């Protein structure tokens, strides 16, 4: 692609700003090197991220693998409301959450809903990337039509078994009394006719069950062992519907040391349901594993961690510090304090992230706006069904 003086000047202007990234580098240097050598591929992924989940993270992982520098455009609340319906997270929350995903180099706040060649050139990107699910404007037009025609569009595979539509549906199920029984088939599979019309459903937003594989975990995991001099920090919890409250907490934990190695212990679904009740967790342990692994502040995840932080656990991982947020600590099944050992050893730290948002708060947002979200999903489904009938070639549901 051609680089105009205006584009180069824009990047040079960015270089004058002391832009901080978690690794202590001015990340715009990467873009500058791209201009000077013209050998690196810079790509942009434009998305709503109306509710950031591990499916989005997987698309970002695939997009980053297509180039050397990943810029992610995130839309405003106004744009999402206009084209899709009310977002679950605010734009400020979405900006920070996307920045916390480890494959992201830079984000563009308030990115236009329709991606044009002008946008790609402005940010000096070779191409843009989107999932193989369809994205339409409010009037049913393909938002990537222009860049597709120019050959500057790439696709990554959608993560089968998760969508914002599905997750919103799971939360709305919590308002139904019969779902209080965690042994019911509805609880196990989270299936519902939420947002579907009477004449079938869209192949892009239909609810299906996520199936974890060892390959997927490998793709998300850092694979890095703790190094000499690292401070090994252990935190544990549900981390359900991974949200900005979790991100702020993990960032605060990460900043407790110059060389942090943060291990997150995730409780099994049955354990989470014991101390949280209702239909929690909304995401199963496999989904929560990927959500946490995608966070740049996390080094390792213990899947199915014991609820009590025992001496054996601390010795096994050579833990230097155990952290917990300001949320309530529920006793173990026998009534004991799950943090008694680290508390006695003097290595327990209560961390105030400054963010009191909880998974319950997210669920309440959905319930409060139930009718709006139902209308949003039905509208989205109708547009996708129209495209499906027009092309007669629904996309294959492939997980990568």
């Amino acid at each position: 692609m051609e680089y105009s003086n205006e584009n180069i000047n824009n990047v040079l202007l960015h270089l004058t700003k002391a832009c901080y990234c978690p690794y202590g580098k001015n990340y715009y240097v990467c873009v500058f090197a791209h201009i000077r050598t013209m050998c690196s591929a810079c790509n942009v992924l434009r998305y709503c991220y109306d509710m950031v989940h591990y499916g989005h993270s997987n698309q970002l992982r695939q997009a980053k693998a297509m180039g050397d520098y990943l810029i992610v455009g995130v839309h405003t609340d106004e744009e999402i409301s206009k084209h899709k319906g009310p977002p679950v997270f605010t734009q400020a929350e979405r900006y920070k959450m996307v920045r916390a995903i480890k494959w992201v180099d830079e984000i563009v706040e308030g990115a236009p809903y329709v991606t044009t060649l002008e946008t790609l050139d402005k940010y000096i990107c070779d191409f843009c990337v989107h999932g193989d699910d369809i994205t339409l404007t409010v009037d049913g037009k393909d938002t990537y039509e222009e860049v597709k025609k120019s050959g500057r569009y790439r696709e990554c595979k959608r993560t089968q078994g998760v969508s914002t539509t599905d997750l919103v549906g799971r939360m709305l199920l919590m308002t139904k009394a019969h779902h209080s029984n965690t042994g019911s088939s509805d609880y196990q599979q989270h299936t519902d006719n939420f947002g579907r019309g009477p004449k079938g459903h869209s192949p892009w937003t239909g609810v299906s069950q996520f199936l974890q594989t060892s390959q997927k975990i490998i793709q998300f995991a850092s694979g890095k062992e703790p190094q000499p001099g690292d401070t090994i920090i252990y935190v544990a919890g549900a981390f359900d519907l991974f949200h900005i409250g979790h991100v702020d907490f993990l960032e605060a934990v990460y900043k407790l040391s110059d060389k942090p190695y943060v291990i997150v212990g995730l409780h099994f679904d049955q354990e989470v349901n014991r101390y949280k009740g209702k239909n929690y967790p909304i995401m199963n342990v496999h989904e929560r594993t990927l959500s946490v692994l995608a966070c740049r502040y996390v080094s390792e995840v213990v899947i199915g961690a014991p609820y009590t932080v025992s001496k054996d656990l601390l010795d096994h991982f050579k833990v230097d510090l155990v952290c917990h947020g300001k949320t309530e600590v529920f006793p173990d099944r026998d009534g004991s304090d799950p943090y008694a050992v680290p508390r006695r050893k003097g290595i327990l730290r209560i961390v105030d992230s400054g963010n009191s948002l909880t998974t319950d708060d997210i669920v309440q947002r959905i319930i409060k706006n139930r009718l709006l979200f139902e209308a949003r999903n039905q509208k989205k489904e109708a547009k996708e069904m129209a495209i499906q009938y027009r092309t007669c070639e629904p996309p294959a549901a492939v997980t990568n």
Side-chain angles (χ1 to χ4, degrees), residues 223-232 260-261 263 299-300 317-318:
K224 296 179 181 178
E225 298 286 339
Q227 300 300 309
D230 284 355
T231 300
I232 301 178
Y261 187 91
I263 301 175
S299 305
E300 180 64 287
F317 292 108
K318 299 179 173 59

Side-chain angles (χ1 to χ4, degrees), residues 188-377:
Q188 295 297 326
Q189 298 186 27
H190 299 287
T191 57
D192 190 18
N193 200 41
F194 169 74
R196 289 187 190 170
K199 298 181 180 179
H201 62 83
S202 163
W204 293 281
T205 57
V207 176
S208 57
Q209 191 172 9
F210 173 72
L211 299 176
Q212 183 68 284
T213 64
S214 59
Q215 181 63 26
K216 186 62 63 187
I217 294 176
I218 291 170
Q219 290 170 342
F220 272 59
S222 68
K224 296 179 181 178
E225 298 286 339
Q227 300 300 309
D230 284 355
T231 300
I232 301 178
I233 306 173
Y234 181 78
V235 302
F239 291 89
D240 194 17
L241 278 181
F242 196 74
H243 54 72
I244 190 62
H246 297 134
V247 170
D248 284 340
F249 169 69
L250 290 171
E251 182 181 13
V253 168
Y254 185 89
K255 290 181 177 179
L256 291 176
S257 171
D258 292 333
K259 295 184 64 181
Y261 187 91
V262 179
I263 301 175
V264 176
L266 288 179
H267 301 142
F268 276 133
D269 298 346
Q270 295 89 338
E271 191 67 59
V272 175
N273 187 256
R274 177 186 70 82
Y275 63 80
K276 289 186 69 71
K278 300 180 183 178
N279 269 12
Y280 291 116
I282 293 166
M283 285 183 164
N284 66 46
V285 69
H286 304 300
E287 297 171 313
R288 291 183 283 122
T289 296
L290 297 186
S291 297
V292 174
L293 281 174
C295 180
R296 65 171 72 251
Y297 306 119
V298 175
S299 305
E300 180 64 287
V301 168
V302 180
I303 304 172
Y307 189 68
T308 291
V309 183
S310 65
K311 181 180 182 301
D312 288 344
L313 184 148
L314 297 177
D315 292 343
H316 179 83
F317 292 108
K318 299 179 173 59
V319 175
D320 299 303
L321 193 63
V322 176
C323 294
H324 191 275
K326 299 197 75 176
T327 55
E328 181 181 0
V329 177
F330 296 92
D332 206 342
R333 294 175 186 271
D334 60 1
S336 62
D337 175 10
Y339 290 94
V341 174
R343 196 186 306 276
R344 189 166 57 247
K345 291 170 66 71
I347 61 172
L348 177 64
R349 180 82 61 89
I350 301 301
V351 177
D352 185 0
S353 66
N355 190 331
S356 61
L357 187 74
T358 66
T359 302
D360 281 329
D361 295 330
I362 302 299
V363 172
Q364 288 306 312
R365 290 183 187 183
I366 299 295
I367 293 174
K368 181 180 179 181
N369 296 292
R370 175 180 181 126
L371 294 179
L372 290 175
F373 282 111
E374 286 180 338
R376 156 205 155 127
N377 284 9

